Amino acid sequence: MTDEREHGDTTAQPPDWDARAARFDDEPDHGLRDPAVRAAWAARLSSWLPGHPAEVLDLGCGTGSLSLLAAEQGHRVTAVDLSPAMLERARAKLAGHPAEVLCGPAEAPPVGERRFDVVLVRHVLWALPDQARALRHWRRLLRPGGRFVLVEGVWGELHPVGVPADRLLALLAPLTARARVERLSGDSVLWGKEVTDERYAVVAGV
């Protein structure tokens, strides 16, 4: 999804994602409409995902921009979001690609007993009320040898929200065999602008 600056503090009323779907892709890192921004995310994603075709579960997929990049790189994608309006745009982007689009909550995706090679989550975990529980559930959705790819951060100055990298690593420690942090704040091309807050990705194998 996105950050606190667009959607406010999670202690307030939950955002109306359907109402925001029409303008969601206006943010450079959401819509990936700028070729340089899109190429930057494609390169990062390629380095985080397996080098062979894999089953990728994209939770809180929004309008499906990362799902589309993963599908273009040869992966089979299952994209999940709670907002029908977001998913309408995701389906349009993913038309003709090996992808399935499902409506449901990120913390309990409607995938039954299926297992995946990758759980991909960008800017979603920070907004969930019980992050540890969500991570434990997502761990059960991974096959042996699978991996988490979690893109998170901390946003806002007066009332910052988010998940610091150290906290996410601590939450993952009992669930994963190895984890690495990739700092993203310094790569302005990813965001379409200079940023000064904490932005990062964690890739963690199980």
Side-chain angles (χ1 to χ4, degrees), residues 154-175:
V154 179
W155 305 278
E157 296 180 2
L158 294 177
H159 302 287
V161 297
V163 186
D166 290 347
R167 170 170 167 74
L168 182 50
L169 288 174
L171 291 172
L172 287 169
L175 305 175

Side-chain angles (χ1 to χ4, degrees), residues 24-144:
F24 188 80
D25 279 351
D26 291 350
E27 285 294 312
D29 59 307
H30 296 171
L32 308 184
R33 292 166 173 163
D34 183 295
V37 176
R38 193 177 198 278
W41 278 103
R44 293 279 184 166
L45 199 63
S46 178
S47 72
W48 299 332
L49 298 181
H52 55 82
E55 295 281 340
V56 176
L57 178 62
D58 183 4
L59 297 175
C61 68
T63 60
S65 293
L66 288 193
S67 290
L68 177 58
L69 292 182
E72 290 175 343
Q73 292 176 13
H75 303 291
R76 168 74 187 181
V77 179
T78 300
V80 177
D81 202 277
L82 193 57
S83 164
M86 292 282 190
L87 292 178
E88 181 181 354
R89 287 160 174 78
R91 287 190 181 95
K93 288 182 184 179
L94 291 163
H97 293 277
E100 180 180 10
V101 178
L102 302 174
C103 188
E107 59 268 45
V111 295
E113 298 301 312
R114 293 168 59 190
R115 296 296 178 266
F116 299 85
D117 302 301
V118 179
V119 168
L120 169 66
V121 188
R122 181 175 70 164
H123 299 173
V124 172
L125 188 64
W126 70 273
L128 301 182
D130 192 336
Q131 296 159 4
R133 182 177 181 180
L135 287 167
R136 289 194 299 271
H137 183 68
W138 297 346
R139 170 63 181 84
R140 292 193 291 272
L141 300 178
L142 284 169
R143 295 182 176 126

